[in-house]
């Protein structure tokens, strides 16, 4: 079952914040976050393991609540370079990564 | 050095033809994958190979056949191409389920 992301799309001005949510109907081993720019391959942002940990990458951070089977990606003080489609990826085991439905983020000057 | 490479980058072909896409990774990863990204941008896993052995074969038509000659290579052969096969195909690799590294993708267009 594919994880569901919300919102489907976000439009921001530079400097604004955004939150992208990822929700799964199945128990999760870990959650990955990737960003894909138009015409390019998905690029790894971060991985979160069980334990409710938070991680940060520049001004992008994420949390993982395994009891709720949810993860959220937080983008603060957005930059033009943050534009792209964000995917969460969930693992039940290490053999496959199931990607979420995607959230398209556009940052304007 | 490119970590995960794919050839060709673009593939335009007629319905009914057979085509192959090649993938190579130089990261020393133990697992390689094929993903399909459709026009709605959904990324779906197709196959997973671990040390040359097929681990996962999702519900993919048997016209698609992956082949892994060694740990660093995973090719995808598609027989009797159909219009619905048009998509971007991504190869990826990972080591023990850590970071997935994707190739640049192959845009397949079936006419």
């Amino acid at each position: 079952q594919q994880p569901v992301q919300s919102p489907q799309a976000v439009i921001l001005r530079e400097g604004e914040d955004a939150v992208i949510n990822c929700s799964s109907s199945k128990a999760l081993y870990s959650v990955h976050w990737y960003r894909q720019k138009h015409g390019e391959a998905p690029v790894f942002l971060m991985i979160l393991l069980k334990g409710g940990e938070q991680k940060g990458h520049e001004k992008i951070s994420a949390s993982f609540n395994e009891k709720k089977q949810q993860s959220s990606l937080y983008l603060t003080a957005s930059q033009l370079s943050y534009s792209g489609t964000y995917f969460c990826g969930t693992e039940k085991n290490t053999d496959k990564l199931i990607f979420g439905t995607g959230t398209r983020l556009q940052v304007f000057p | 050095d490119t970590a995960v490479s794919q050839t060709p980058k673009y593939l335009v072909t007629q319905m009914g033809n057979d085509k192959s896409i090649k993938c190579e990774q130089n990261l020393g990863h133990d697992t390689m994958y094929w993903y399909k990204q459709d026009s709605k941008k959904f990324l779906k896993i197709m196959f997973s190979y671990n040390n040359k052995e097929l681990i996962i074969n999702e519900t993919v038509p048997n016209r698609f056949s992956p082949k892994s000659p060694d740990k660093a290579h995973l090719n995808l052969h598609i027989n009797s191409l159909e219009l619905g096969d048009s998509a971007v195909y991504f190869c990826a690799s990972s080591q023990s389920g850590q970071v997935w590294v994707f190739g640049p993708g192959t845009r397949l267009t079936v006419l």
Side-chain angles (χ1 to χ4, degrees):
Chain A
Q1 194 84 21
Q2 185 175 30
V4 177
Q5 290 181 230
S6 62
Q8 287 187 322
V10 184
I11 297 175
L12 297 173
R13 292 273 180 209
E14 261 188 304
E16 291 182 338
D17 303 340
V19 180
I20 299 172
N21 300 302
C22 173
S23 183
S24 173
S25 59
K26 295 190 173 184
L28 302 176
Y29 172 75
S30 66
V31 177
H32 297 228
W33 283 96
Y34 286 75
R35 176 170 61 208
Q36 183 179 29
K37 292 185 180 282
H38 182 70
E40 299 180 8
V43 173
F44 173 80
L45 291 176
M46 65 190 77
I47 180 173
L48 300 104
L49 303 177
K50 283 186 178 181
E53 66 170 309
Q54 285 195 293
K55 277 204 169 181
H57 173 80
E58 297 175 344
K59 290 180 182 174
I60 301 174
S61 61
S63 62
F64 175 30
N65 185 328
E66 71 263 26
K67 285 183 182 173
K68 291 186 177 180
Q69 292 160 194
Q70 290 175 345
S71 177
S72 294
L73 186 72
Y74 307 94
L75 299 103
T76 56
S78 58
Q79 304 167 15
L80 295 176
S81 62
Y82 287 2
S83 293
T85 302
Y86 289 77
F87 291 97
C88 65
T90 58
E91 284 184 87
K92 195 176 173 189
N93 52 49
T94 59
D95 288 338
K96 66 179 179 181
L97 191 63
I98 306 297
F99 283 97
T101 48
T103 296
R104 190 174 172 191
L105 181 82
Q106 286 181 280
V107 181
F108 290 96
Chain B
D1 266 354
T2 306
V4 181
S5 59
Q6 290 179 232
T7 53
K9 189 162 173 62
Y10 299 98
L11 192 49
V12 181
T13 188
Q14 300 284 336
M15 270 174 58
N17 284 351
D18 303 337
K19 289 292 177 187
S20 291
I21 306 171
K22 295 187 176 184
C23 177
E24 177 180 1
Q25 56 100 359
N26 62 7
L27 298 165
H29 286 170
D30 57 9
T31 310
M32 295 183 73
Y33 311 83
W34 280 109
Y35 280 83
K36 178 181 179 181
Q37 187 168 44
D38 60 23
S39 56
K40 292 183 180 177
K41 305 298 182 188
F42 292 145
L43 272 163
K44 282 194 68 175
I45 188 165
M46 301 172 70
F47 301 103
S48 164
Y49 262 81
N50 183 278
N51 283 319
K52 300 195 300 174
E53 285 191 37
L54 181 64
I55 304 297
I56 291 166
N57 181 350
E58 294 293 310
T59 48
V60 175
N62 56 16
R63 297 182 294 103
F64 290 79
S65 52
K67 282 198 171 50
S68 181
D70 56 58
K71 239 177 74 165
H73 295 85
L74 180 62
N75 303 324
L76 183 66
H77 188 76
I78 316 169
N79 289 326
S80 304
L81 278 155
E82 300 177 357
L83 292 176
D85 297 333
S86 294
V88 180
Y89 292 85
F90 286 102
C91 175
S93 70
S94 76
Q95 179 66 31
S96 304
Q98 292 300 309
V99 178
W100 261 249
V101 179
F102 284 81
T106 296
R107 182 174 292 277
L108 171 66
T109 303
V110 182
L111 303 173

